[in-house]
């Protein structure tokens, strides 16, 4: 099993009885909903994760959404290094330095949004042009091997040393993504 710190900032706790999942804002019903930060350092959080591992409550621990500096800082105090780092990673955001650092440190990398930032479109944090699915070179490779653009991008992610976690809301695509053979 694997237990991850999802984001490198601490937010004020929202009791499960009030709202689950808590989402990003503390009280969405206020006039100006906003995040409320908790004064908890990453080191305190990581030490709590290490206790979970020590007590057998988590076999592996890891974190998400940190850059090389955040990871280097954590490695300076971690008694148990992270098993996995999960970050946004795709053809437009390759994270080469971070991937190299993780390889040197023995940390597995998992890339989310491996098809590009299309999952952010519904949040107005990206546009459809942020998807690598429409790149001409991706389409050409897909046509050459008789695969879909998604399959090409997923295979690229794996061939570059990371695992990938694609997301699709269309059930028909769930099986397509995993046929990565060369042709």
């Amino acid at each position: 099993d694997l237990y991850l710190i999802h984001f490198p900032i601490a937010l004020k706790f929202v009791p499960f009885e009030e709202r689950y999942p808590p989402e990003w804002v503390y009280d969405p019903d206020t006039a100006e909903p906003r995040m409320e930060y908790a004064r908890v350092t990453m080191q305190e959080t990581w030490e709590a994760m290490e206790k979970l591992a020590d007590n057998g409550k988590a076999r592996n621990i890891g974190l998400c959404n940190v850059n090389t500096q955040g990871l280097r800082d954590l490695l300076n105090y971690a008694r148990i290094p992270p098993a996995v780092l999960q970050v946004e990673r795709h053809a437009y955001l390759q994270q080469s330095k971070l991937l190299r650092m993780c390889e040197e440190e023995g940390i597995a990398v998992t890339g989310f949004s491996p098809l590009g930032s299309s999952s952010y479109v519904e949040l107005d944090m990206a546009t459809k042009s942020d998807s690598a699915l429409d790149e001409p070179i991706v389409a050409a490779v897909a046509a050459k091997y008789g695969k879909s653009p998604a399959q090409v991008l997923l295979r690229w992610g794996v061939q570059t040393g990371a695992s990938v976690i694609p997301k699709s809301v269309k059930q028909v695509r769930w099986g397509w993504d995993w046929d990565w053979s060369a042709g």
Side-chain angles (χ1 to χ4, degrees):
D1 65 356
L2 173 65
Y3 195 50
L4 298 171
I5 296 172
H6 181 253
F7 212 73
I9 56 172
L11 297 176
K12 188 173 177 183
F13 179 70
V14 176
F16 295 151
E17 308 80 55
E18 281 185 39
R19 188 174 67 253
Y20 186 83
E23 301 299 332
W24 290 103
V25 298
Y26 183 72
D27 184 357
D29 297 324
T30 63
E32 293 183 35
R34 63 184 181 87
M35 291 190 278
E36 289 192 23
Y37 301 102
R39 297 205 179 268
V40 178
T41 66
M42 180 62 110
Q43 184 169 353
E44 291 174 85
T45 303
W46 191 255
E47 288 170 355
M49 298 288 281
E50 290 173 325
K51 286 179 186 173
L52 292 172
D54 290 340
N55 295 331
K57 294 188 177 185
R59 215 173 288 156
N60 296 284
I61 54 176
L63 68 163
C64 308
N65 301 303
V66 298
N67 59 18
T68 53
Q69 180 57 46
L71 183 57
R72 176 62 53 214
D73 185 51
L74 184 135
L75 290 171
N76 285 329
Y77 55 76
R79 186 172 46 79
I80 302 172
V84 174
L85 172 63
Q86 185 182 108
V87 291
E88 180 178 355
R89 186 170 184 275
H90 46 76
Y92 293 150
L93 183 61
Q94 296 182 19
Q95 308 262 26
S96 301
K97 290 179 185 176
L98 190 56
L99 192 67
R100 187 171 47 254
M101 179 184 179
C102 287
E103 184 178 334
E104 291 167 0
E105 296 292 342
I107 300 167
V109 174
T110 298
F112 68 83
S113 294
L115 308 179
S117 298
S118 55
S119 62
Y120 291 108
V121 172
E122 64 192 47
L123 303 172
D124 289 327
M125 294 171 63
T127 65
K128 289 189 181 212
S129 66
D130 293 313
S131 171
L133 291 168
D134 297 325
E135 274 296 324
I137 189 69
V138 173
V141 171
K144 178 180 178 179
Y145 290 101
K147 301 296 178 184
S148 72
Q151 290 167 323
V152 169
L153 292 167
L154 294 174
R155 180 155 178 163
W156 169 85
V158 171
Q159 283 184 295
T160 57
S163 60
V164 294
I165 46 174
K167 172 186 169 187
S168 179
V169 294
K170 296 184 177 154
Q171 188 172 359
V172 69
R173 291 185 182 154
W174 295 351
W176 295 352
D177 292 346
W178 299 110
D179 179 11
W180 297 344
S181 59

